[in-house]
Amino acid sequence: MSGYLKLAGKNLLRHRTRSALTMLGIAASVGVLFSVLSFNKGFTEGLAVELERTGLHFMVVPSGCAHEVAALVLHGAVIPKFLDTKVMEHVIDTAGIDLATPILVAQLPDPQRGKIDLIYGVDMSVLLAIKPGWEIIGKIPEQDNEILLGYEVAQHEKLQPGDQFSSGAGTTLLVAGIVGLTGSQDDAFVYLPINTAQKLLDHPSAATAIGVKVTDPTRMVEITDALTAAVPGIQIVTMGEVMNSISNLAASARALSLAIVLIAILISAVGVMNSILMAVFERTQEIGMMRAVGASRRDIFRIILEETTILSLSGGLVGILISILGSRMIEAFVRAVMPFVPSGNLISFDPGVAAGSVLFIFIIGLCAGIYPALKASKINPVEAIKG
Amino acid sequence: MIELKQIEKSYRRGAEEVRALRGVDLSVTAGELLAIIGPSGAGKTTLLHILGCLDQPTKGEVLYDGMSTSHMPESELVQLRREKIGFVFQQFYLIPGLSVFDNIALPLLFSKKPASRSKIMALAEMVGLEHRLDHAPAQLSGGEMQRTAIARGLVNDPEILLADEPTGNLDSENSDKIYTLLRSLSQNGLATVMITHNTELAARAQRTVQIRDGLVHSR
């Protein structure tokens, strides 16, 4: 350790509480900065994985809000509009379609149990094509009276494959299988053949959306244009658009969070400046002595600047550490307050983001230290020694 | 070695112009122990600061080994202080967070010289603090603190040691020890200039100069 650094460190240790509080202020700011940046990265990556898992290229939905569609694709939101399944015929007739399946998502109240079931009607023969990541305990329903339960539903209702499930419409269904834990909203649904769902809802030819997979994704624009021209009253939303739609919402939240973080960093920088300035004023005579025994103005400037460097760097590192240790808590909080959160780790440790956050606070700390360091270097040794 | 020629020093204190020194002539030679006495406000400390190149005179000339410091840039004055001058203060000004060893070695940091353990140990032995090197200043007595400060003043092997009331905060026993130390340093060839209010110690110095109203009255 250089003599200057050792001297700067010892100076900080003379006022342990003040130094620790200043350092914690920096740590809090850096911790939040790192969390926000890591969250954004984790969120975007999680979102991409989630969309990849759907196995679909686009959705055909009734004309409406793109955000509703995004919610439907990702967590099965209930949209109060239906498509007629006759649209399916047009979709299938369109060239370049590999797979098309109607999806019916709805709420089904059960007055007897005092609950509302979230049902997800789908063509069971293509289930694994649109949910390729699923692990199924038991089997995929083969009969109209068979269903598949999301992990949470099965846990809550204490049901196993082979058990009976009573629906709100008074029909008793057989649990064919249970979806393994996905960590996403998929865990909260009851999956059943679309015909059964249509009957239970009393909408014999309704679908919330038609999920489509094309044979050649490079021809997607051509295919969607052809479909839009052929069928009036529909909207086509590609997975890229869904991702953009959600990313835009997340980006707005991130911009707001970053603005708050920057204000917090500014406040902690002022805290550093204040703390170091106080130390300079308290040590005026000592600085005069150092000038007398051979310190140049540059030496004094360097000592003070190294004090701010130590505070900033240690605060930065502690902030990253706290943020990593508290990432599970932050994730739990975000999952509780945000309408859609992809499964997987939202806050992923990225050394680049961590180093960037520490570098950022290091530069801010240096800037905050320049004024006190200049002030100290300009102390007149004669006046200082006189006291 | 050091020669002051017609040194005048004025400064402003509010609206008032203070003439701290009014034409002082003084020379200090190697190995000399010079005591400067005089009432408070007479200009003793101002004279010491000019001798130590911490302050510049308003008029007159300071010659170090025949070389004038009047037009030296700040960087050369810093170099002069590092290489040729040692300072000792009444309030010691030890850094509380550093050990006795590190306090003694502090000037070496600024002169970019290594803090050799043998050198610091030799200085500590000379001032009788070899058993206190790892102690913090707060664990030392007043006399020990001043001896640490003297060792710090000597660490760069200066040609002159300037001591501003080095016994001002000490009892008579410790004052005597410090004086004996300064005396032995001058006998070994170090020019030592000591400001003191202690007339008994001043009388024991090789030469005594009295400052009153910014003028040297006796030598």
Side-chain angles (χ1 to χ4, degrees):
Chain A
M1 189 192 292
S2 85
Y4 289 94
L5 207 57
K6 182 179 172 183
L7 183 58
K10 296 271 184 183
N11 283 336
L12 290 172
L13 288 175
R14 280 156 69 177
H15 297 284
R16 285 183 167 80
T17 310
R18 185 165 72 198
S19 300
L21 288 175
T22 310
M23 190 265 285
L24 278 178
I26 298 169
S29 312
V30 175
V32 178
L33 173 70
F34 176 69
S35 296
V36 168
L37 294 176
S38 301
F39 172 78
N40 183 58
K41 192 168 180 293
F43 187 91
T44 312
E45 285 170 358
L47 189 60
V49 169
E50 198 93 344
L51 287 171
E52 184 68 29
R53 272 188 203 161
T54 63
L56 298 172
H57 290 122
F58 64 85
M59 295 285 235
V60 180
V61 292
S63 298
C65 172
H67 291 156
E68 274 184 348
V69 180
L72 164 73
V73 173
L74 288 159
H75 64 97
V78 177
I79 302 176
K81 278 184 180 177
F82 293 114
L83 276 176
D84 194 308
T85 40
K86 284 177 187 160
V87 174
M88 265 294 285
E89 291 164 21
H90 292 286
V91 176
I92 291 167
D93 288 346
T94 308
I97 303 292
D98 179 35
L99 179 156
T101 179
I103 296 167
L104 177 57
V105 181
Q107 294 177 340
L108 191 63
D110 184 347
Q112 278 186 342
R113 281 156 55 230
K115 292 183 70 177
I116 297 172
D117 293 318
L118 291 170
I119 63 165
Y120 196 110
V122 65
D123 180 353
M124 288 295 169
S125 63
V126 298
L127 187 67
L128 284 183
I130 62 170
K131 299 286 185 185
W134 277 9
E135 283 179 19
I136 293 175
I137 305 151
K139 60 171 187 143
I140 293 175
E142 291 163 357
Q143 308 295 324
D144 281 354
N145 68 336
E146 287 181 335
I147 59 165
L148 196 61
L149 295 181
Y151 186 83
E152 274 175 26
V153 182
Q155 288 285 306
H156 191 260
E157 301 290 333
K158 296 186 178 63
L159 293 174
Q160 298 288 329
D163 290 346
Q164 301 277 327
F165 178 85
S166 115
S167 78
T171 316
T172 299
L173 302 160
L174 181 68
V175 179
I178 292 164
V179 181
L181 183 67
T182 64
S184 69
Q185 281 79 356
D186 285 355
D187 295 336
F189 279 88
V190 175
Y191 300 89
L192 60 172
I194 188 154
N195 297 340
T196 313
Q198 286 166 337
K199 275 182 205 158
L200 288 176
L201 290 169
D202 204 19
H203 283 292
S205 60
T208 315
I210 296 168
V212 179
K213 188 178 177 184
V214 296
T215 47
D216 179 5
T218 58
R219 288 185 56 231
M220 199 138 75
V221 176
E222 191 187 316
I223 296 166
T224 54
D225 284 351
L227 251 178
T228 314
V231 189
I234 61 162
Q235 184 181 354
I236 292 176
V237 184
T238 64
M239 291 306 153
E241 286 167 344
V242 169
M243 180 146 174
N244 283 343
S245 179
I246 293 174
S247 291
N248 287 344
L249 284 176
S252 307
R254 183 174 64 113
L256 181 67
S257 314
L258 275 177
I260 295 167
V261 171
L262 289 179
I263 291 169
I265 286 175
L266 194 67
I267 292 169
S268 65
V270 171
V272 171
M273 193 189 285
N274 181 46
S275 172
I276 299 291
L277 259 183
M278 277 171 73
V280 166
F281 289 137
E282 284 166 5
R283 300 197 322 249
T284 300
Q285 290 185 322
E286 201 176 289
I287 290 167
M289 174 277 292
M290 288 199 272
R291 293 295 313 278
V293 303
S296 62
R297 285 183 175 166
R298 197 175 164 175
D299 290 324
I300 301 296
F301 184 89
R302 184 173 165 185
I303 291 166
I304 303 301
L305 208 60
E306 292 203 3
E307 287 181 30
T308 58
T309 304
I310 294 173
L311 274 181
S312 310
L313 278 182
S314 54
L317 293 174
V318 169
I320 300 287
L321 193 68
I322 291 174
S323 170
I324 292 168
L325 293 177
S327 61
R328 291 285 159 267
M329 231 161 59
I330 297 169
E331 271 199 40
F333 172 75
V334 170
R335 285 189 190 283
V337 297
M338 276 187 73
F340 169 73
V341 180
S343 52
N345 285 341
L346 285 184
I347 299 176
S348 57
F349 177 76
D350 181 332
V353 175
S357 303
V358 174
L359 181 69
F360 180 66
I361 200 68
F362 171 68
I363 292 167
I364 294 284
L366 274 188
C367 294
I370 284 174
Y371 176 68
L374 271 178
K375 194 100 183 154
S377 69
K378 286 183 178 168
I379 285 174
N380 180 336
V382 172
E383 296 297 324
I385 291 165
K386 276 183 191 167
Chain B
M1 193 180 84
I2 304 179
E3 203 174 349
L4 304 188
K5 285 184 178 174
Q6 281 301 300
I7 295 296
E8 290 187 22
K9 179 70 184 179
S10 320
Y11 55 87
R12 297 202 74 81
R13 189 190 289 148
E16 179 193 8
E17 168 132 342
V18 179
R19 292 184 68 199
L21 298 174
R22 304 174 183 219
V24 170
D25 288 314
L26 184 70
S27 60
V28 184
T29 54
E32 182 181 24
L33 174 56
L34 172 68
I36 299 175
I37 58 169
S40 296
K44 303 185 297 294
T45 299
T46 304
L47 180 64
L48 198 79
H49 289 161
I50 288 173
L51 271 172
C53 297
L54 263 186
D55 206 355
Q56 288 284 33
T58 313
K59 274 187 188 168
E61 203 169 21
V62 180
L63 299 170
Y64 255 85
D65 296 329
M67 198 165 60
S68 173
T69 64
S70 304
H71 301 292
M72 273 188 185
E74 172 65 17
S75 58
E76 283 183 34
L77 292 172
V78 167
Q79 201 63 24
L80 199 63
R81 289 201 294 270
R82 280 178 188 164
E83 291 175 359
K84 298 196 171 179
I85 303 164
F87 269 99
V88 176
F89 306 96
Q90 182 181 355
Q91 286 90 356
F92 326 128
Y93 295 138
L94 300 180
I95 296 183
L98 300 183
S99 65
V100 168
F101 182 97
D102 288 333
N103 266 291
I104 294 174
L106 184 67
L108 295 174
L109 174 67
F110 306 128
S111 54
K112 320 293 186 256
K113 292 178 189 164
S116 118
R117 180 130 199 122
S118 57
K119 175 162 195 169
I120 307 295
M121 181 55 91
L123 281 169
E125 277 174 8
M126 190 174 77
V127 299
L129 287 174
E130 66 277 13
H131 58 296
R132 296 288 217 176
L133 280 176
D134 294 327
H135 287 65
Q139 296 170 298
L140 305 179
S141 69
E144 287 173 325
M145 285 194 209
Q146 194 57 293
R147 280 184 276 148
T148 305
I150 290 172
R152 180 183 64 195
L154 297 173
V155 77
N156 268 328
D157 302 318
E159 292 176 4
I160 184 167
L161 186 69
L162 304 173
D164 191 356
E165 299 195 41
T167 61
N169 278 342
L170 303 178
D171 58 28
S172 57
E173 187 189 340
N174 275 307
S175 297
D176 200 55
K177 279 184 187 169
I178 295 295
Y179 176 78
T180 307
L181 181 59
L182 295 178
R183 179 80 192 160
S184 77
L185 289 171
S186 75
Q187 281 168 349
N188 287 326
L190 180 71
T192 309
V193 178
M194 170 179 71
I195 290 176
T196 183
H197 279 118
N198 187 327
T199 48
E200 192 191 325
L201 286 186
R204 289 160 64 188
Q206 203 174 344
R207 184 157 69 103
T208 303
V209 163
Q210 188 181 32
I211 305 268
R212 200 168 57 230
D213 299 327
L215 290 166
V216 173
H217 278 271
S218 57
R219 63 182 77 175

